[in-house]
Amino acid sequence: ITLLRAFNAIKERIPHNLVFKASANDYWNNTIMPYIRENGLQSRVILIDGNLNRNQMDRLYSEADLFVSPSEMEGFGMTPIEAAMSRVPVICNALDTLVESTRGLVEYYSPSRDYEALSCKILEVLAKRGSMDLESIASRFRKHYSTATQAGRFIELFQAVSKH
């Protein structure tokens, strides 16, 4: 709802639509949809419900002008990393796990439920999108989260544990 409120606050200032990759669950039906209807956002908010394969997700990321993760409960936070690896600007809630997993390489907003802070951050990132070094960020994530790098970390861990 924070992202939706942020979008509603700036909808007249941006040409973008808001696309959710989510499930039409009870929260969507009982909280999100009523807000969309009350604010006349039906033509600007799109729900992509259902499973997408890797190619479909990559295309969804690559066609976005911005990816926002306002999540308040993340175990790791892979979606912002995937979006960044697709050279898309990313904004995350400044949740510790998201800051750690995204390595301080993306944009952050706080507090998590402050839709005004998020709407300001969205406008800021959209304005500077063209000057952001998105390829460098993508490259750093690809290297850090590559299979080879992760396997090397496991090997180091196993070697360290076996010495004790």
Side-chain angles (χ1 to χ4, degrees):
I1 196 73
T2 302
L3 177 55
L4 190 54
R5 287 182 175 142
F7 178 77
N8 190 44
I10 60 174
K11 68 183 178 207
E12 302 301 327
R13 298 169 66 184
I14 60 173
H16 303 81
N17 290 325
L18 180 59
V19 178
F20 284 94
K21 172 55 190 97
S23 298
N25 57 19
D26 287 342
Y27 183 73
W28 181 268
N29 294 325
N30 298 327
T31 303
I32 301 297
M33 278 309 298
Y35 187 91
I36 290 170
R37 284 191 294 274
E38 288 167 13
N39 292 281
L41 297 171
Q42 298 92 321
S43 67
R44 304 265 318 261
V45 177
I46 300 161
L47 170 66
I48 298 175
D49 188 3
N51 295 324
L52 298 181
N53 64 38
R54 179 79 268 149
N55 289 338
Q56 292 168 318
M57 282 303 299
D58 289 344
R59 182 174 177 191
L60 187 61
Y61 287 132
S62 67
E63 291 179 354
D65 286 330
L66 176 64
F67 178 88
V68 180
S69 180
S71 177
E72 292 186 317
M73 297 183 303
E74 281 294 334
F76 182 76
M78 194 62 191
T79 55
I81 295 164
E82 291 172 346
M85 286 194 298
S86 294
R87 294 175 304 285
V88 176
V90 172
I91 299 172
C92 288
N93 167 8
L95 187 68
D96 288 343
T97 55
L98 287 173
V99 173
E100 183 178 342
S101 66
T102 58
R103 307 177 48 78
L105 296 174
V106 301
E107 301 285 331
Y108 304 95
Y109 80 98
S110 181
S112 65
R113 294 186 183 181
D114 186 343
Y115 76 90
E116 291 172 331
L118 178 55
S119 64
C120 288
K121 183 58 77 171
I122 290 170
L123 291 173
E124 174 190 322
V125 172
L126 287 173
K128 69 180 185 179
R129 184 181 194 279
S131 64
M132 297 174 78
D133 190 356
L134 300 173
E135 183 55 47
S136 174
I137 294 168
S139 177
R140 290 171 73 180
F141 278 131
R142 280 191 293 269
K143 181 178 179 185
H144 185 76
Y145 289 112
S146 75
T147 303
T149 300
Q150 296 304 312
R153 288 190 183 116
F154 278 115
I155 291 168
E156 289 173 11
L157 175 63
F158 295 146
Q159 289 172 343
V161 169
S162 69
K163 290 179 183 177
H164 295 292

